[in-house]
Amino acid sequence: MDAYELISRNAEELVTEAEVRELAEDPEGKRAYVGYEPSGVLHIGHMLTANKLIDLQEAGFEVVILLADVHAYLNDKGTFEEIRETAERMKEQFIAYGLDEENTEFRFGSEFQMDDDYVLDLHALELETTLNRASRAMSEIQSGDSTKVSQAVYPLMQSLDIEYLDLDLAIGGMEQRKVHMLARDTLPSIGYESPTCLHTPLIAELSSGEGKMSSSKGVTISMEDSTEDIEEKVNGAFCPPTPDPDGDLENPVLQIFEYHVFPRFENVVVERPDKYGGNLEYGDYESLEDDLESGELHPADAKSALSTYLDELIAPGREKLRQAE
């Protein structure tokens, strides 16, 4: 793959495509980031954006992971001490998952978000942003049903982080889109450039195919899961052989193959007994999807293979957690 293909692979949205193509022309030394609230154990949402960071490292980018301790505090995720302890554990899990340690810079928000220049810029953004706009930006990522003042400040800080970390590309799931659009609209008002953004898809809830998979509700997959846990969860996953005609439901089994397995493995083998036709081997996601829809690949066989590959991806991080205990 060339640099543009690596950058844009499995992206839901590029803002803008022209800006991303310009970055792809000379990616060496360019800087991309994802910000994560330290929240305990890596789950499949973290892993999806981490896959994109791995793509970017292969394309030549330097990767920054912001362990957003101040943001987590503002979003009511615990005390600073609790959040910082969690963040330290997450660093090791990201490396165990496959990020290149030498090309991954970990930063804590508290390292620079208390500095005078940052705070003054934050106040300048506050003057440029209505409370309604800030609340809308937080609507998909806030804790609780009503927006607190601290949470209204949150997306403004997230916008500033892009400038203060000297970034060329901001990465996030589609739930971050409103925050990134706020950044593009407001940063020029205080003298900074609009950031280039890339948004990754959201994986549907595992058992239903509805909404998005979340660590706080429904069934999700994380590095805490044992091999048996993964098998049980995947075996119970929603996996219809044909797409939903109304477009309301996703197939999370296929989504995980597309966004987690195929970016990390050149070939995927589905093991089957000879009496059922023997093993199937896939070099690309589309062939697997076609076989599931045609009936050549049974959902149970697809789930069995998915469990195996997910377990291989998660095992190094699971071992890190075991060692920490």
Side-chain angles (χ1 to χ4, degrees):
M1 288 188 182
D2 63 21
Y4 177 76
E5 289 172 325
L6 280 168
I7 296 167
S8 61
R9 172 168 68 166
N10 289 336
E12 185 79 8
E13 180 182 42
L14 306 175
V15 186
T16 64
E17 182 177 347
E19 292 171 17
V20 171
R21 286 191 179 278
E22 185 175 349
L23 289 176
E25 289 175 3
D26 184 21
E28 293 296 327
K30 296 294 193 300
R31 288 165 60 83
Y33 104 121
V34 178
Y36 300 98
E37 285 186 8
S39 57
V41 177
L42 296 198
H43 55 70
I44 207 161
H46 299 120
M47 297 171 200
L48 198 155
T49 45
N51 285 336
K52 178 46 58 186
L53 295 179
I54 292 170
D55 282 343
L56 290 164
Q57 287 180 331
E58 187 176 342
F61 276 69
E62 299 171 3
V63 161
V64 180
I65 289 181
L66 176 64
L67 297 166
D69 51 350
V70 177
H71 286 85
Y73 181 76
L74 293 175
N75 207 15
D76 201 20
K77 296 295 179 66
T79 66
F80 265 109
E81 292 76 14
E82 293 167 341
I83 292 166
R84 194 63 180 263
E85 288 177 4
T86 299
E88 291 289 352
R89 292 195 298 270
M90 288 183 74
K91 287 171 63 174
E92 292 190 352
Q93 295 169 47
F94 275 114
I95 298 303
Y97 185 65
L99 283 159
D100 179 358
E101 188 169 8
E102 292 186 2
N103 270 328
T104 305
E105 176 184 339
F106 290 94
R107 298 289 302 275
F108 290 95
S110 54
E111 294 173 13
F112 60 92
Q113 290 167 345
M114 311 293 192
D115 294 349
D116 290 348
D117 288 345
Y118 186 98
V119 173
L120 288 173
D121 275 344
L122 178 60
H123 292 329
L125 277 185
E126 291 166 355
L127 288 169
E128 298 292 332
T129 310
T130 67
L131 187 57
N132 283 340
R133 179 72 190 277
S135 297
R136 289 198 304 273
M138 276 298 290
S139 61
E140 296 184 48
I141 55 177
Q142 72 183 38
S143 298
D145 296 328
S146 57
T147 305
K148 298 178 181 178
V149 173
S150 64
Q151 293 168 326
V153 174
Y154 184 116
L156 304 183
M157 292 178 61
Q158 194 171 335
S159 301
L160 275 182
D161 294 342
I162 298 169
E163 178 64 32
Y164 274 76
L165 290 171
D166 190 25
L167 302 168
D168 299 287
L169 182 63
I171 312 294
M174 283 298 290
E175 79 279 1
Q176 300 289 336
R177 186 182 192 279
K178 291 179 182 178
V179 175
H180 286 162
M181 295 306 100
L182 175 67
R184 284 181 65 87
D185 289 346
T186 58
L187 283 177
S189 70
I190 61 170
Y192 299 131
E193 294 183 2
S194 292
T196 302
C197 307
L198 183 154
H199 301 128
T200 57
L202 301 176
I203 304 293
E205 200 278 319
L206 197 61
S207 62
S208 67
E210 298 177 318
K212 80 165 184 173
M213 197 180 295
S214 168
S215 59
S216 60
K217 58 184 178 180
V219 178
T220 190
I221 293 170
S222 79
M223 280 189 174
E224 283 183 320
D225 289 336
S226 66
T227 300
E228 295 73 23
D229 291 334
I230 293 170
E231 290 174 352
E232 181 179 352
K233 290 178 178 181
V234 172
N235 284 339
F238 179 70
C239 185
T242 56
D244 172 30
D246 298 323
D248 296 328
L249 300 176
E250 298 287 350
N251 185 327
V253 170
L254 284 180
Q255 286 184 310
I256 296 170
F257 268 119
E258 182 175 10
Y259 302 128
H260 288 272
V261 176
F262 278 97
R264 301 291 300 278
F265 298 93
E266 288 188 8
N267 291 290
V268 171
V269 176
V270 178
E271 295 184 354
R272 302 188 306 182
D274 290 340
K275 66 179 181 179
Y276 295 126
N279 295 350
L280 294 170
E281 185 170 347
Y282 300 99
D284 59 82
Y285 163 74
E286 289 76 17
S287 298
L288 185 148
E289 181 185 30
D290 289 344
D291 273 6
L292 183 70
E293 186 169 349
S294 70
E296 175 64 24
L297 174 61
H298 192 279
D301 293 324
K303 290 178 181 182
S304 178
L306 180 60
S307 298
T308 299
Y309 284 99
L310 268 181
D311 189 58
E312 186 172 340
L313 289 172
I314 287 170
R318 185 168 58 219
E319 177 61 19
K320 285 287 185 184
L321 289 171
R322 189 193 65 78
Q323 293 173 1
E325 293 173 355

